[in-house]
Amino acid sequence: MATDDEWLRYGGRVCLDFANTLRDQWKEPRETLREPDDVVRWLRCAGLLTDRPRTGDVPESALRSAVALRKAIDRAVLRVAGGELPAPADLAVINEASAAAPRPAPRLVLRGGRLESSSTPRVAVDASAGLGLVAQDAIDLLLSPEIRRVRICASEHCALRFVDRSPARNRRWCSMTRCGNRTKVRLHQARSRARG
């Protein structure tokens, strides 16, 4: 069973946070989605799933679908961020998952004396629909200019994926507090040992 501290939210997009459920990818990958209930807990933590289904009611197929979707999103995002086209098989997995997402109910609102459309936040009632919302976020990212800002954390122990929203577009770490400071301290200590 995974714990919430294993599910870091440094990606800047829900689909990247989902891709980051496979941790420590530079060296020895560590799985945080080890059982079907972990998928439900992750989706709830991300705000994509209602209190249904209860943990323990999740089919094994939800875990297999989640892992396949995560791999497809990760490969597609990294390829498109690198200027390449994603593999058709990855697009098929993402599109299939996206089809299970709940459809937003159209709403009308009055804003500033004008009639406008308003979307309601979408929350799924089962793991399949929740994964569909993750897939739709991936589709949105793959089609947006923001895809060119996707980076991989430069820490040799991390490899989390994230969107670089820094003004200079030169962010290297998933989080300064998590990897940036640790790396800087390690390099400083190594320089100090070399001098002394």
Side-chain angles (χ1 to χ4, degrees), residues 1 23 100 120 129 138 149 152 173 192:
M1 181 167 109
R23 300 279 301 284
T120 57
R149 295 182 124 191
I152 300 174
W173 320 111
S192 295

Side-chain angles (χ1 to χ4, degrees), residues 68-131:
L69 177 61
R70 180 183 63 199
K71 288 177 182 177
I73 288 172
D74 192 46
R75 286 189 301 252
V77 165
L78 293 180
R79 286 186 66 125
V80 174
E84 299 177 48
L85 290 174
D90 291 334
L91 294 180
V93 170
I94 294 168
N95 286 334
E96 183 180 337
S98 175
R103 304 291 178 244
R107 295 187 60 199
L108 294 172
V109 295
L110 292 174
R111 279 195 191 112
R114 294 178 34 166
L115 186 62
E116 294 182 3
S117 173
S118 172
S119 62
T120 57
R122 294 186 293 166
V123 179
V125 296
D126 64 23
S128 178
L131 292 172

Side-chain angles (χ1 to χ4, degrees), residues 136-193:
Q136 287 185 347
D137 184 61
I139 290 169
D140 183 53
L141 175 61
L142 288 164
L143 296 174
S144 78
E146 196 170 52
I147 189 67
R148 290 187 276 293
R149 295 182 124 191
V150 172
R151 309 281 186 268
I152 300 174
C153 183
S155 171
E156 63 187 46
H157 301 289
C158 182
L160 289 180
R161 283 72 166 130
F162 64 91
V163 175
D164 177 4
R165 292 191 177 114
S166 67
R169 297 183 182 191
N170 62 353
R171 183 174 151 199
R172 297 183 57 207
W173 320 111
C174 63
S175 163
M176 198 58 195
T177 58
R178 183 174 184 276
C179 289
N181 284 339
R182 290 178 189 169
T183 302
K184 288 182 176 189
V185 166
R186 196 169 41 250
L187 291 173
H188 175 73
Q189 289 171 342
R191 282 191 302 268
S192 295
R193 280 192 298 273

